Amino acid sequence: MNVEATMRNSVLSSIHRVDTKMDSVAEQLSTGKRELNAAEKGVVTRLNADVSGYAAATSNINKSQGVVSVAQAALESVADIVSEMKKLATQSADGSTSAGDKDKLQETFASLMSQIDDLVGSAEIDGVNLISAAATDVVTQVGLSATDQFTISAQKTDVTTLGINALDIGSGGDASAAITALETAIGSVSASQSSLSANNVGLESREKTILSLSENLSETVSSIEDANLEQLRLDLEQLKTQKSVDLFLIGVINEQATSVLSIMR
């Protein structure tokens, strides 16, 4: 192979390398992401998986917060109803209340009792109910580890669990006993409200922690992936200059080859 051919091939190879690099730089400028080596890709893959895991955990927490919120709203109404029932029982227990009035009070009393179970039964989201007679603890996955869980204790608040299902304040019932039972029920409802409030605080705390961890991981990924756009623009200009030089050299080589062929003729 003569000198001109060797030089031409060398310059053409240089042009090919420059074009490849220019394509790479243009892609990085377009996406804002730099090319990663194998080790960096492995780190980014792992960190992105963790970010996705934290996003799922946050979704779990939000769902559980919804379940708790519905239960809290229902308990607030139950507390009001039980207080009203105690008021009726107190009226019925008074010696000046006639038998007929006691029976009328009992009708209202029974209606309120029925409303409690209606409220409790409807306090669910996606089939999850924290206060029904069949309620079970809700275990929420709040982290990446299988053991990173948060348990929300069931707070059964149906009339049977509250111990008020058999109360009767009518003329044939015992209004005084009903007052005592309702006082205990009010205490139970209040304790359940406190428990759910504490659980809600715990979920909010976990959510804040997870969001902070996820944000830090995302920033780490960005620090690895994000390209230095200013440097890439400088690199692109240098590559364009290099290509211009290579094209000029190709032109010179071609001219020289033409001149040699002309002399040989």
Side-chain angles (χ1 to χ4, degrees), residues 47-111:
L47 293 181
N48 280 333
D50 287 348
V51 171
S52 295
Y54 282 132
T58 299
S59 178
N60 294 340
I61 289 173
N62 291 336
K63 288 180 181 178
S64 292
Q65 286 175 321
V67 172
V68 170
S69 294
V70 169
Q72 287 178 310
L75 283 180
E76 185 174 349
S77 295
V78 170
D80 290 341
I81 292 174
V82 175
S83 293
E84 181 63 23
M85 290 173 69
K86 182 184 175 184
K87 176 182 176 181
L88 294 176
T90 301
Q91 293 176 358
S92 181
D94 186 70
S96 64
T97 304
S98 67
D101 287 341
K102 287 178 182 287
D103 290 337
K104 290 180 181 179
L105 290 172
Q106 170 58 26
E107 290 178 6
T108 304
F109 189 86
S111 176

Side-chain angles (χ1 to χ4, degrees), residues 63-226:
K63 288 180 181 178
S64 292
Q65 286 175 321
V67 172
V68 170
S69 294
V70 169
Q72 287 178 310
L75 283 180
E76 185 174 349
S77 295
V78 170
D80 290 341
I81 292 174
V82 175
S83 293
E84 181 63 23
M85 290 173 69
K86 182 184 175 184
K87 176 182 176 181
L88 294 176
T90 301
Q91 293 176 358
S92 181
D94 186 70
S96 64
T97 304
S98 67
D101 287 341
K102 287 178 182 287
D103 290 337
K104 290 180 181 179
L105 290 172
Q106 170 58 26
E107 290 178 6
T108 304
F109 189 86
S111 176
L112 291 174
M113 188 181 299
S114 178
Q115 289 179 38
I116 291 177
D117 275 352
D118 288 342
L119 276 169
V120 168
S122 64
E124 68 174 49
I125 293 181
D126 294 331
V128 180
N129 190 323
L130 281 169
I131 62 174
S132 70
T136 58
D137 295 349
V138 173
V139 180
T140 305
Q141 186 67 35
V142 295
L144 304 181
S145 170
T147 59
D148 196 359
Q149 299 176 328
F150 186 92
T151 300
I152 305 170
S153 299
Q155 304 296 322
K156 296 182 180 182
T157 316
D158 59 288
V159 294
T160 300
T161 300
L162 290 177
I164 60 175
N165 58 303
L167 299 181
D168 186 341
I169 63 170
S171 58
D174 189 340
S176 296
I179 292 173
T180 301
L182 290 166
E183 286 178 346
T184 300
I186 290 172
S188 296
V189 174
S190 177
S192 293
Q193 288 177 306
S194 296
S195 178
L196 291 181
S197 293
N199 285 325
N200 209 29
V201 170
L203 288 171
E204 288 176 354
S205 177
R206 292 298 184 97
E207 182 179 23
K208 288 179 181 178
T209 299
I210 287 174
L211 290 175
S212 177
L213 290 171
S214 180
E215 183 178 345
N216 289 337
L217 288 179
S218 295
E219 290 176 354
T220 300
V221 170
S222 293
S223 70
I224 297 173
E225 286 186 323
D226 290 354

